[in-house]
Amino acid sequence: MVIQSFLLVTSQVTLKIAMTKLGKFVWTKEYILNVVKNIPLAISGITIVGATLLWFHVLKKYEFSLAYPLVAMSYVFGMIAAVVVFKEAVPVARWIGVSLIIIGVILVAKTA
């Protein structure tokens, strides 16, 4: 689940980077070529496919009531990415929320 969550967040981070590079959407040949040549967009697609394939495995192997709450780890990785990759200032209230998510994930995992 950790790898699946990491791939999920990697997909979203690279998607944000890709969308920032593309700028405003316009129906032009140049814009479409920029989409096709956008490496972060390709990485986003590859990592979301990987995350989905791992998710298929997890759903097949584990109870849904265990697997689905563990996906919340992606919120933790997302907050870390916000700080490390995007240099965002994250308010204390959000860190408290992420801490509660971590506690919840630990509680769910301990019942497995």
Side-chain angles (χ1 to χ4, degrees):
M1 284 304 302
V2 172
I3 295 169
Q4 192 272 345
S5 292
F6 180 78
L7 287 173
L8 190 62
V9 171
T10 300
S11 174
Q12 297 306 305
V13 167
T14 54
L15 182 61
K16 174 146 176 79
I17 292 167
M19 294 298 100
T20 303
K21 282 179 137 184
L22 287 175
K24 185 178 179 191
F25 178 80
V26 287
W27 282 107
T28 64
K29 182 180 178 182
E30 292 80 22
Y31 187 86
I32 301 303
L33 286 174
N34 285 337
V35 169
V36 171
K37 294 188 285 185
N38 193 314
I39 299 299
L41 188 58
I43 293 169
S44 178
I46 291 166
T47 54
I48 198 68
V49 167
T52 301
L53 292 174
L54 278 173
W55 184 239
F56 292 163
H57 171 74
V58 167
L59 285 177
K60 188 174 182 177
K61 188 170 181 172
Y62 299 100
E63 293 178 356
F64 191 73
S65 63
L66 171 65
Y68 199 72
L70 294 181
V71 174
M73 283 302 298
S74 61
Y75 294 115
V76 177
F77 294 143
M79 288 288 283
I80 293 167
V83 172
V84 173
V85 177
F86 300 113
K87 310 295 186 218
E88 294 180 10
V90 179
V92 173
R94 289 185 199 157
W95 285 116
I96 293 170
V98 167
S99 299
L100 293 172
I101 290 170
I102 292 170
I103 292 167
V105 166
I106 291 168
L107 290 173
V108 168
K110 281 191 174 201
T111 63

